[in-house]
């Protein structure tokens, strides 16, 4: 052990430890909602999610039966019955009991507690109890209140998911999100790829100006576009007598806002393809359209894939554009907007919020981990040339 | 449910098909108008080929240019004009909206908060990204660690808000704290707080979220840049007796300086547009308003005031302009060097 330690060295060990710490820090927030979404909704509010695997214990107050239920047993009087299912959740295990709220765990289950005055009380694990006095109970006394410590085993359930998918409109929003995202991913790639090819390999006047324009537009904040565009949308909507908030409308908005970066990245990639292939195809009489479809598109697959992932994540996770161009009608809400609405209306219902959040981040996480290789490659190929 | 799915699928196919059809048919049409069949009049064929070459680039660029012009170029001009007009954009008010902005306490609060965000978030993301990249490059399970730290990039800001709201959750009275932060504070003997309602400091609790999301991005790019550093420089430093700290600051950092600048500016642009986090966490209450949210509020609050929101949009634009110019210059230099 010491030998291994020496070979690793304290500095190296420190690096391992530090990275482990950072990984845990980065994972903890997400883990919190994953675990919470699977917990019983009554348990979420009584204990932190980090105790979910160890079970929780809670205190419940119950009343024993009144003196009128007392039965004479030899010289003693006995009140017997059960506390199971009475003010406690019923699926927990009673661990201990007590007479005062300050000491709810004064006595172990099964043991006999001497309450003085000739009274004893025994509570068993199954909830049955025996309250005994060596004299008659005073007839007008109230029934006795005792406190129980109940250990609840870890409980996991899929009910929260069932609830949000059917009851809270998350299922509908999921379809809406897909309807927005898939065309808003495919269309900009198609348009950007054609434009990128033209900017990379076709000769025409004004090419340099257009490239500079595209680069400049990358940083235009899209907040800028909202008011003028809403006006155009409303006017067109009125002209044709249709709603101004339509799916084609939001597809075009997402397409346009994604275009500058897409054209820039794809142009960099396409311009880097070997010149000989394109020129020999031209000599063979292929038109630019044929060259693009048959040569450029297949060769650019890695760049197209990486941009597709970006655009997909961006559109799926967007809230602002969806709120402005698709509106906040209940049947048109995308997932992020639905989740935002739930944050307002169901602020404290963590079983609903966490399950909904899980549904919204499920698809991006699948895409992310499934295609991470392309994503990283895309990040590195275009955005930081010469870094 | 089934009909919803079917109509969704139908809409998707329709959208993509329209776009593909444009490119296919416009190019076919061009070929039909200017035929270049072999065996025809040689002179005519040459003329037609040249005409095709003149028109085809614009067919390829058409949809992109149209969308860029309508969705990005025109709005910049229109916003500039709107900023001189009243609430509904019909009455000219001169510089009144600008005067309002610089006298408005909420606007000044937003500017202050935005500067705070700009000072903290890009620096923190770049610094953590760099440190984590250096450390993970040295250990065998570094790629797993990187994937975990990169993961929040895939999570929406709204999803992240739910995640972090749960961490900052506060429960009053003698209830057990179920928010991680308050539970930890309590464990060390502190008093639980409603973290996101503490003025000034709540800004930092919101920034933590963006740092959590963006550090992975900085890490991935800086990690690639670090791999590009030549081994010889580091070996030479080791032979000269430099320690790890000196190697990091004097050998590695200067060599990836260009990438650090890129990462920094990318995150700066993102910070200026930050909207979702503030909307979902505080909606600008408790002095946490930022420009993007203030602008959104003026767009829709009480029927909206397009003049005032246009001014705020222009302030954001002005902050981005230096980065835009720098970007264009750098891209131009790059294209020439190719």
């Amino acid at each position: 052990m010491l030998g291994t330690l020496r070979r690793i060295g304290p500095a190296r060990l420190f690096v391992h430890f530090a990275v482990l710490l950072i990984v845990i820090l980065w994972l903890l927030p997400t883990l919190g909602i994953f675990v919470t979404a699977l917990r019983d909704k009554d348990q979420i509010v009584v204990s932190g999610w980090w105790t979910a695997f160890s079970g929780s214990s809670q205190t419940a107050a119950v009343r024993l039966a009144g003196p009128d239920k007392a039965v004479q047993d030899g010289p003693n009087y006995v009140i017997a019955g059960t506390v199971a299912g009475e003010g406690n959740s019923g699926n927990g295990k009673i661990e201990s009991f007590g007479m005062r709220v300050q000491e709810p765990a004064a006595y172990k289950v099964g043991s006999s507690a001497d309450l003085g005055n000739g009274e004893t009380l025994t509570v068993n694990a199954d909830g049955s109890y025996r309250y005994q006095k060596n004299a008659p109970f005073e007839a007008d006394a109230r029934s006795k209140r005792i406190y129980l410590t109940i250990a609840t085993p870890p409980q996991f359930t899929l009910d929260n998911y069932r609830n949000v998918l059917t009851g809270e409109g998350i299922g509908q929003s999921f379809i809406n999100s897909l309807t927005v995202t898939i065309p808003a991913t495919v269309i900009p790639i198609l348009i950007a790829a054609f434009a990128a090819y033209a900017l990379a390999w076709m000769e025409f006047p004004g090419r340099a100006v257009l490239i500079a324009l595209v680069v400049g537009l990358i940083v235009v904040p899209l907040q800028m576009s909202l008011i003028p565009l809403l006006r155009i949308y409303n006017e067109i909507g009125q002209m044709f007598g249709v709603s101004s908030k339509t799916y084609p409308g939001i597809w075009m908005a997402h397409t346009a806002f994604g275009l500058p970066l897409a054209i820039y990245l794809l142009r960099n990639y396409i311009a880097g393809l070997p010149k000989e292939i394109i020129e020999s195809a031209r000599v063979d009489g292929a038109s630019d359209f044929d060259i693009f479809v048959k040569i450029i598109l297949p060769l650019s697959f890695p760049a197209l894939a990486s941009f597709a992932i970006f655009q997909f994540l961006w559109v799926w996770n967007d809230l602002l554009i969806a709120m402005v161009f698709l509106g906040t009608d209940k049947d048109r809400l995308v997932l992020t907007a639905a989740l935002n609405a739930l944050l307002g209306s169901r602020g404290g219902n963590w079983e609903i919020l966490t399950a909904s959040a899980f549904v919204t981040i499920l698809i991006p996480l699948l895409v992310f981990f499934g295609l991470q290789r392309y994503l990283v490659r895309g990040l590195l190929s275009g955005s930081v040339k010469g870094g | 449910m089934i009909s919803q799915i079917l109509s969704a699928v139908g809409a998707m196919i329709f959208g993509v098909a329209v776009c593909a059809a444009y490119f296919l048919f416009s190019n076919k049409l061009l070929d039909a108008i200017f035929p270049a069949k072999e065996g025809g009049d040689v002179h005519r064929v040459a003329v037609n080929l040249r005409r095709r070459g003149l028109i085809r680039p614009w067919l390829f660029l058409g949809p992109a240019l149209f969308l860029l012009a309508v969705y990005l170029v025109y709005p910049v001009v229109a916003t500039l004009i709107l900023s001189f007009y009243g609430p509904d954009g019909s009455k000219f008010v001169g510089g009144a909206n600008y005067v309002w902005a610089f006298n408005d306490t909420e606007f000044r609060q937003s500017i202050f908060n935005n500067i705070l965000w700009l000072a903290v978030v890009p620096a923190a993301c770049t610094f953590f990204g760099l440190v984590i990249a250096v450390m993970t490059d040295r250990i065998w399970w570094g790629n797993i660690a990187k994937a975990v730290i990169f993961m929040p990039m895939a999570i929406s800001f709204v999803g992240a808000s739910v995640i972090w709201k749960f961490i900052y959750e506060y429960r009053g009275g003698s209830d057990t704290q179920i928010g991680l932060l308050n539970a930890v504070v309590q464990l060390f003997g502190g008093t639980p707080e409603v973290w996101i309602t503490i003025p000034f400091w709540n800004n930092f609790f919101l920034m933590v979220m963006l740092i959590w999301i963006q550090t992975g991005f900085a890490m991935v790019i800086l990690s690639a840049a670090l791999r590009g550093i030549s081994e010889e420089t580091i070996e030479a430093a080791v032979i000269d007796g430099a320690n790890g700290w000196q190697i990091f600051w004097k050998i590695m950092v200067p060599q990836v300086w260009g990438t650090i600048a890129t990462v920094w500016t990318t995150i700066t642009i993102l910070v200026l547009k930050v909207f979702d986090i503030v909307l979902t966490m505080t909606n600008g209450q408790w002095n946490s308003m930022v420009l993007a949210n203030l602008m959104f509020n003026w767009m829709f609050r009480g029927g909206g005031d397009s003049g005032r929101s246009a001014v705020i949009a222009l302030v954001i634009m002005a902050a981005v302009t230096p980065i835009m110019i720098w970007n264009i210059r750098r891209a131009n230099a790059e294209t020439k060097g190719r």
Side-chain angles (χ1 to χ4, degrees), chain A residues 16 26 30 36 45-46 50 172 179 216 219 223-225 227 231 233 251-252 289 317 319 340 350 364 368 387, chain B residues 4 8 11 27 71 79 138 141 150 154 156 166 169 171 176 183 212 259 269 276 280 292 295 306 309 320 324:
Chain A
H16 277 277
W26 244 257
T30 322
T36 304
V45 291
V46 296
W50 50 93
Q172 166 76 53
T179 316
V219 294
Q223 278 99 342
M224 190 102 180
S225 308
I227 309 170
R231 295 185 169 218
Y233 272 46
W251 295 336
M252 300 234 297
F289 187 76
N317 289 335
L319 175 66
N340 185 38
W350 285 109
F368 180 81
Chain B
Q4 285 165 6
N27 279 284
Y71 283 79
T79 306
R138 283 148 183 254
W141 52 284
F150 196 33
S156 66
F166 195 45
E169 169 81 345
R171 291 165 66 79
T176 319
W212 178 71
T259 313
I269 296 171
D276 317 36
T280 48
M295 189 219 146
S306 60
S309 51
V320 180
M324 181 160 85

